[in-house]
Amino acid sequence: MKAQTQPWQGKFEPIDHMIKPPNTYRTASGAPGRDYWQQRANYKIKVILDESNNTISGEETITYYNNSPDDLSYLWIQLEQNVNKKGNEDFGSINNTIKNGMTSRQMQFLTRAIDFPAGYSIKYVKDADGNHIKTMINNTMMKVKLNTLLKSGESTRFSIAWSYPITDRSMYLLSREGYEYFPSDDNTIYLIAHWFPRMAVYNDTEGWQNQQFQKLGEFALEFGDYDVEITVPEDHIVAATGLLQNSESVLSKTQRKRLDDARKSFDKPVMIITQKEAEAHEKQKSKKQKTWKFSAKNVRDFAFASSRKFMWDAQAVKLPTNTVMAMSLYPKEGLPVWQEESTKAVRQALEVYSEATFDYPYPVAISVNTSNIGMEFPMISFNGGRPKNGKISDGAKQGMIGTIIHEVGHNWFPMIVSSDERKWMWMDEGLNTFLHQRTLAERYPGFNSVTPKSIVPFMSGDKNILRPIMTTSDNELMSQFGANFYLKPTVGLQMLRNSIIGKELFDEAFKEYANRWKYKHPNPADLFRTLEDATATDLDWFYRGWFFTTDHVDMELSQVKWFKVYEENSNIEDQNNSSKVKIDASGKNVQVQAKDFSSGPEMITMNTTPDAAYGQFLSRIDEPKLRKQLSGKNIYEITIKNVGGLVMPVTIEWAFTDGSKEIDIIPAEVWRRNEYEIQKTFIKEKKVKEVNLDPNFEYADTNMKNNSFPKVETPSQFDAFKNTK
Ligand SMILES: [Zn+2]
């Protein structure tokens, strides 16, 4: 073996010092600890949507439970709408360069040339006795300076009144909510989200999670119960987080009857509002108002959509422990594909995700059609994908269905397994994309879905731009976050499931993580530890490489040596006379690096083991038997170089001269002793024609050209030039 000339990097050393140490809140096995605690916030909200000037105004009462061991003198409230205020702009997450030939819309993103009075007006903050509470606002965060200390184990109640002008979604980049105007019938769809002042998270790892909202890093939120009254124009239809409490006063008798039918329809959706009815609503433009009342239990947020344009369909989905209403709302502009595919996609997501984690626990799962984005909230998601004049390309249709599955899937990550999105975007996006891709692969086998091959272009990118997955959300580039926070963790989990841990064991561990942390706030360490704890697999090497570095996988099959032993030529009888028995082999050129198998097997010498080599053992290897076992066999010694830096298991495919194939798998730990180059010897009955590394493309190897022996000759540029002549 060659001497190691490169330094040891400790790729298999534990990552204990790189992740949060365990404590009584979070155990070393990755589960919530005996002292785990979590705050809680219940909300009672009344809100009015004023269509004439696109304004929201509301009043809310928050009951905040301090389950922490700490006394709190102030609280932090999130005011995300302030991100669009002039001067509070999103901290440069938008690339601030001028390019030749920019569109006016790009120019608006960049300069906010069309001024808009975005952001909250806070009318009052007062305690349960009606006394004014002092506040201080820092951009998207408001400090509420409590009149009396909130002791550990106690709760406090306070009220906030606010209003803000709803933003035109087409004017801002990364605009997850706001309104969309339809000039043809002079109507609007309102997607109302991060609309009310919400409690920031206070927990054992962050204290107050009061990092500013900069758009890329999404939300960290506490669980609670919600009672929300939404007042909208009389002819609007409202879809929201939670169960509708007053259907008799907001829905017609016909609509209620159809909803009852939908509750019993398990095979296909029932239309609650048809196209004709929605088109009639579009023309009404009522000036009267109606109040919709919703109640939601144990959710971390509340969002709603309101419009007179909505068509509405619904069907029941039966899960082992829950029956859910899957529903879709869309304008006629979404036809026909939304009516055909949306609720069906909601159903696929509910079934596959429930199977992979835990049953969807809420009563409704709603998909609302919108333009451009896909955005998730508890029980409701806003999903892009809209045909043009009733036509949609195959690719766009796949994208739309994928978006619906993805956003409905977010109900699990992060709406229930409630990780901190502002800090670790990959924790919800990565895990959710992993299950969303699994849903596509299982339920839509004809569609394109992500495999390790999908990440190769990203992994082979410029290392000066690449950041590790373990990068906080807002520190990633706009051009890179999709690949780094969605795709790379997805492919990592696929590798763990399909190749490193194995499906059965991995699926159980993934389920364990989801169940340990449902309705709680997990950290990356809790996921890392649980996957090891539930599988008896040391994965620190995998986490270290895949999550903490920007190394890539590139293995090179640098050499295959072929040896053969002929028993009939070996002088076994003579072994008493000589301790060295030469075994004849038909090859030559032992020292030459072969490029293929054409020069035949090489000669090897196998010596009889001298007595001294047995040490204290008195028994002896049966030499004739050993030689007989090697007789006629092909012995192959392979050399593999780790070019990319990431250690991975090695899958070797042997293609034999008779046309058959065989696979050998060496676990990643083979790289423990030498992280740069390994050698391994195999005995094969048959003659090998070709050896290939990673034949099924399991490990996102960025260069497949160096994975084969005989080496694939790539013609030199001169030869290529000559051949074109
Ligand atoms: Zn997502």
Side-chain angles (χ1 to χ4, degrees):
M1 193 181 278
K2 282 181 209 100
Q4 250 173 266
T5 53
Q6 287 163 295
W8 180 58
Q9 294 186 47
K11 290 178 194 278
F12 289 87
E13 287 298 286
I15 58 164
D16 296 2
H17 64 290
M18 297 158 79
I19 56 177
K20 294 251 185 217
N23 51 39
T24 58
Y25 308 123
R26 290 156 200 274
T27 71
S29 67
R34 66 172 185 271
D35 295 328
Y36 181 83
W37 54 269
Q38 191 169 290
Q39 308 293 70
R40 191 171 178 86
N42 292 344
Y43 296 82
K44 279 192 198 308
I45 311 176
K46 286 182 183 173
V47 65
I48 297 169
L49 170 64
D50 182 349
E51 195 179 28
S52 63
N53 55 11
N54 292 321
T55 302
I56 278 273
S57 41
E59 282 179 301
E60 70 185 4
T61 299
I62 303 177
T63 309
Y64 184 69
Y65 297 88
N66 180 15
N67 299 322
S68 82
D70 315 319
D71 299 341
L72 301 172
S73 60
Y74 55 81
L75 313 175
W76 282 101
I77 305 268
Q78 314 192 51
L79 300 178
E80 266 98 0
Q81 288 297 330
N82 283 358
V83 75
N84 291 326
K85 255 187 179 167
K86 267 271 194 215
N88 275 4
E89 292 171 27
D90 36 32
F91 296 81
S93 69
I94 293 161
N95 189 6
N96 273 300
T97 54
I98 301 259
K99 286 190 204 95
N100 196 13
M102 284 176 82
T103 67
S104 56
R105 189 158 173 258
Q106 285 168 327
M107 208 62 184
Q108 169 63 14
F109 293 162
L110 190 62
T111 62
R112 309 250 172 114
I114 301 171
D115 205 356
F116 182 79
Y120 284 105
S121 304
I122 302 289
K123 292 201 192 83
Y124 64 74
V125 181
K126 55 191 189 189
D127 66 18
D129 301 323
N131 299 315
H132 169 76
I133 302 180
K134 277 193 198 135
T135 58
M136 291 173 85
I137 294 176
N138 175 8
N139 297 320
T140 62
M141 287 285 167
M142 177 166 72
K143 188 180 196 175
V144 173
K145 298 160 87 170
L146 295 171
N147 293 333
T148 47
L149 189 71
L150 176 58
K151 293 237 169 77
S152 168
E154 292 184 353
S155 68
T156 186
R157 188 179 305 151
F158 59 100
S159 303
I160 306 176
W162 79 93
S163 66
Y164 70 86
I166 303 166
T167 51
D168 175 346
R169 289 192 38 240
S170 66
M171 277 172 55
Y172 295 92
L173 191 64
L174 277 184
S175 137
R176 298 174 176 87
E177 44 70 55
Y179 69 81
E180 180 186 3
Y181 179 67
F182 291 75
S184 61
D185 52 279
D186 181 32
N187 271 298
T188 305
I189 291 181
Y190 294 92
L191 305 177
I192 306 299
H194 41 92
W195 54 284
F196 59 100
R198 302 176 296 177
M199 290 306 307
V201 165
Y202 182 76
N203 68 14
D204 60 291
T205 32
E206 295 295 315
W208 282 107
Q209 170 44 299
N210 54 8
Q211 210 179 308
Q212 296 291 333
F213 182 46
Q214 302 170 53
K215 290 205 171 175
L216 199 53
E218 293 178 330
F219 313 109
L221 297 156
E222 301 287 15
F223 286 95
D225 298 338
Y226 286 72
D227 284 307
V228 182
E229 297 185 10
I230 304 165
T231 301
V232 296
E234 187 190 46
D235 44 9
H236 270 216
I237 292 295
V238 178
T241 303
L243 260 192
L244 180 61
Q245 302 295 301
N246 63 335
S247 55
E248 325 71 46
S249 44
V250 291
L251 298 180
S252 71
K253 214 174 160 187
T254 316
Q255 288 162 349
R256 292 198 319 265
K257 159 84 175 64
R258 289 168 180 171
L259 264 176
D260 278 341
D261 293 344
R263 277 185 200 102
K264 286 167 246 147
S265 177
F266 290 90
D267 55 338
K268 61 175 196 309
V270 171
M271 292 309 295
I272 315 298
I273 296 177
T274 65
Q275 180 179 1
K276 221 171 136 192
E277 290 158 354
E279 282 172 10
H281 291 164
E282 280 179 352
K283 293 183 189 111
Q284 282 179 16
K285 310 269 187 328
S286 172
K287 295 287 171 216
K288 287 193 202 146
Q289 292 184 322
K290 220 152 64 172
T291 299
W292 297 60
K293 297 181 181 177
F294 292 90
S295 167
K297 300 269 177 262
N298 219 10
V299 287
R300 57 169 241 167
D301 199 3
F302 189 104
F304 67 94
S306 183
S307 181
R308 56 175 68 80
K309 287 182 69 64
F310 285 145
M311 296 174 61
W312 180 3
D313 72 50
Q315 78 161 86
V317 176
K318 185 135 191 64
L319 302 172
T321 62
N322 192 17
T323 300
V324 186
M325 283 286 267
M327 312 202 270
S328 298
L329 292 96
Y330 38 88
K332 63 179 187 297
E333 285 78 1
L335 292 174
V337 68
W338 267 74
Q339 191 173 344
E340 291 160 2
E341 299 289 349
S342 175
T343 299
K344 195 172 142 194
V346 175
R347 177 191 175 165
Q348 310 305 327
L350 291 175
E351 290 176 352
V352 176
Y353 278 70
S354 292
E355 214 270 308
T357 56
F358 46 80
D359 280 1
Y360 184 79
Y362 298 130
V364 296
I366 306 168
S367 164
V368 181
N369 172 249
T370 178
S371 50
N372 294 34
I373 54 155
M375 188 56 204
E376 69 277 12
F377 303 96
M379 303 186 221
I380 186 168
S381 54
F382 306 153
N383 303 312
R386 199 175 279 163
K388 255 196 182 131
N389 306 318
K391 290 205 177 70
I392 189 162
S393 71
D394 262 6
K397 184 172 153 182
Q398 288 190 20
M400 168 203 138
I401 290 169
T403 300
I404 295 169
I405 289 169
H406 180 95
E407 308 309 341
V408 172
H410 270 305
N411 274 292
W412 281 264
F413 309 98
M415 298 303 154
I416 298 174
V417 181
S418 183
S419 55
D420 181 345
E421 299 176 86
R422 190 141 310 166
K423 199 164 186 189
W424 305 117
M425 191 174 191
W426 69 267
M427 279 197 80
D428 70 303
E429 295 301 353
L431 274 61
N432 181 42
T433 304
F434 167 66
L435 285 188
H436 138 219
Q437 293 300 328
R438 187 177 146 185
T439 309
L440 284 182
E442 287 179 13
R443 300 297 173 96
Y444 298 88
F447 284 19
N448 295 321
S449 59
V450 168
T451 65
K453 203 167 212 137
S454 320
I455 200 66
V456 167
F458 174 73
M459 300 293 279
S460 14
D462 181 354
K463 300 279 187 206
N464 292 322
I465 291 168
L466 291 178
R467 287 127 164 86
I469 295 175
M470 283 296 285
T471 298
T472 49
S473 310
D474 285 299
N475 287 342
E476 183 52 288
L477 302 171
M478 290 290 282
S479 57
Q480 300 283 92
F481 78 88
N484 199 25
F485 292 151
Y486 292 60
L487 293 192
K488 193 179 167 189
T490 294
V491 169
L493 292 167
Q494 288 177 339
M495 288 178 184
L496 291 177
R497 181 178 194 240
N498 299 329
S499 309
I500 296 167
I501 298 175
K503 275 198 181 78
E504 207 183 343
L505 210 49
F506 175 87
D507 286 353
E508 196 169 289
F510 194 80
K511 204 175 243 192
E512 182 74 31
Y513 167 73
N515 281 281
R516 280 178 173 183
W517 290 98
K518 64 180 173 187
Y519 304 112
K520 295 191 170 72
H521 299 313
N523 291 334
D526 302 316
L527 171 67
F528 293 152
R529 291 192 169 109
T530 297
L531 293 182
E532 291 188 329
D533 188 67
T535 62
T537 314
D538 176 7
L539 298 170
D540 281 20
W541 62 270
F542 185 81
Y543 301 145
R544 177 189 286 275
W546 198 258
F547 287 88
F548 288 88
T549 76
T550 58
D551 290 351
H552 59 278
V553 179
D554 180 11
M555 290 188 195
E556 181 194 334
L557 182 56
S558 64
Q559 185 58 242
V560 178
K561 286 187 177 177
W562 176 24
F563 304 95
K564 202 155 185 175
V565 175
Y566 293 97
E567 192 216 12
E568 62 271 25
N569 291 346
S570 65
N571 190 353
I572 292 158
E573 302 305 318
D574 200 29
Q575 63 179 294
N576 291 333
N577 301 331
S578 163
S579 66
K580 194 177 175 193
V581 177
K582 200 164 228 182
I583 296 172
D584 234 358
S586 62
K588 46 190 183 281
N589 304 329
V590 178
Q591 299 308 319
V592 177
Q593 293 258 305
K595 284 185 179 157
D596 54 35
F597 296 113
S598 63
S599 53
E602 294 174 16
M603 186 172 89
I604 50 170
T605 310
M606 193 168 72
N607 298 330
T608 302
T609 312
D611 279 356
Y614 284 99
Q616 295 171 8
F617 288 104
L618 298 176
S619 64
R620 295 292 176 263
I621 281 173
D622 184 342
E623 297 263 347
K625 190 179 167 194
L626 180 73
R627 292 207 167 82
K628 193 163 182 182
Q629 294 210 313
L630 291 173
S631 160
K633 307 267 168 73
N634 299 289
I635 303 172
Y636 295 94
E637 181 210 74
I638 63 170
T639 303
I640 300 168
K641 285 190 177 143
N642 179 359
V643 181
L646 277 191
V647 287
M648 280 291 165
V650 181
T651 309
I652 305 157
E653 180 192 67
W654 307 91
F656 300 107
T657 49
D658 68 357
S660 62
K661 282 179 179 174
E662 196 178 299
I663 295 270
D664 278 304
I665 297 167
I666 317 173
E669 283 77 1
V670 71
W671 299 101
R672 267 183 170 153
R673 303 223 156 68
N674 186 335
E675 295 166 346
Y676 303 95
E677 185 180 307
I678 53 164
Q679 265 134 0
K680 194 96 182 155
T681 300
F682 298 83
I683 298 173
K684 301 289 167 195
E685 298 273 348
K686 297 174 183 171
K687 260 194 208 169
V688 170
K689 191 176 71 188
E690 198 183 306
V691 186
N692 296 304
L693 295 184
D694 196 9
N696 301 318
F697 215 85
E698 293 168 274
Y699 299 110
D701 194 318
T702 57
N703 180 11
M704 293 300 280
K705 286 200 184 105
N706 58 9
N707 282 29
S708 299
F709 188 92
K711 294 194 179 186
V712 184
E713 293 291 341
T714 38
S716 72
Q717 284 188 347
F718 179 73
D719 287 339
F721 176 76
K722 250 190 354 193
N723 290 340
T724 59
K725 290 278 149 182

